[in-house]
């Protein structure tokens, strides 16, 4: 059952990434706009192009993900019936570690976005203030990710809680930098547009890199026990 569920999730995720990358390629449709980063007329402007929230995007994404989930689940079930069992080390808890770390990091990133662009700061922050907000919330995301990993492993009575957190503490800065680079590269494929597809493509790629970093940290901690 776990193998079927895991393949289904992977299929849905892969389908979402493929469709978002495909749809985020630049096109002549949509709009272009200069969006001010502050109320000061001399502050730099950010150029954004694309079409955000086009009709049918949500339906297309939903159908694509559902198809990916179904296909992935079927593949997982068939491989299990054929006798191929895919599993990691005993007590790996990869999913728990990945989800806990991503939730913690997501809270910090969400806070940064809300503060910087949600109208919570009056007057509108200038470029320097926005960068400072990002730096502070990035640090918060880092701390919350580690707290999340520690909490979920502690509740599971895991004997590798501390080694996992220590390894994640060293790996996350590298993974965060890699995720940032991957996200910028994916965004550049659509000329940094603001279409729904571009946002989805960037988020899914960043999540993948961070999750891989957390799983890698957990793997190192498990191997240190041997």
């Amino acid at each position: 059952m776990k193998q079927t569920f895991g393949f289904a999730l992977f299929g849905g995720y892969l389908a979402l990434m493929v469709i978002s990358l495909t749809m985020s390629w630049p096109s002549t449709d949509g709009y272009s706009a200069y969006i001010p980063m502050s109320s000061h007329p001399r502050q730099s402007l950010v150029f954004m192009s694309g079409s955000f929230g086009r009709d049918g995007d949500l339906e297309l994404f939903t159908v694509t993900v559902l198809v990916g989930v179904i296909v992935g689940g079927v593949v997982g079930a068939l491989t299990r019936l054929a006798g191929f069992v895919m599993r990691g080390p005993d007590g790996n808890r990869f999913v728990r570690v990945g989800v806990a770390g991503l939730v913690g990091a997501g809270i910090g990133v969400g806070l940064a976005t809300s503060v910087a662009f949600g109208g919570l700061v009056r007057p509108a922050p200038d470029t320097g203030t926005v960068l400072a907000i990002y730096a502070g919330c990035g640090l918060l995301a880092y701390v919350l990710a580690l707290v999340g990993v520690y909490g979920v492993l502690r509740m599971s009575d895991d004997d590798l809680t501390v080694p996992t957190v220590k390894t994640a503490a060293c790996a996350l800065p590298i993974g965060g930098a890699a995720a940032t680079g991957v996200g910028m590269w994916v965004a550049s494929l659509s000329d940094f547009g603001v279409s729904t597809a571009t946002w989805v493509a960037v988020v899914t790629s960043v999540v993948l890199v961070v999750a891989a970093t957390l799983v890698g940290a957990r793997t190192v901690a498990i191997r240190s026990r041997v």
Side-chain angles (χ1 to χ4, degrees), residues 86-111:
M86 299 181 182
R87 54 180 299 181
D90 293 334
N92 60 77
R93 297 188 171 93
F94 288 151
V95 175
R96 299 182 191 182
V97 170
V99 171
L102 287 173
V103 169
I107 292 175
V109 173
L111 180 60

Side-chain angles (χ1 to χ4, degrees), residues 17 20-27 46-50 178-206:
M17 175 165 283
S20 61
L21 286 173
T22 302
M23 293 179 61
S24 64
W25 285 101
S27 67
V46 178
F47 180 78
M48 297 192 292
S49 63
T180 301
V182 170
M184 293 181 64
W185 175 73
V186 171
S188 70
L189 297 178
S190 63
D191 292 335
F192 297 96
V194 293
S195 66
T196 304
T198 299
W199 282 103
V200 173
V202 171
V203 171
T204 51
S205 61
V206 168

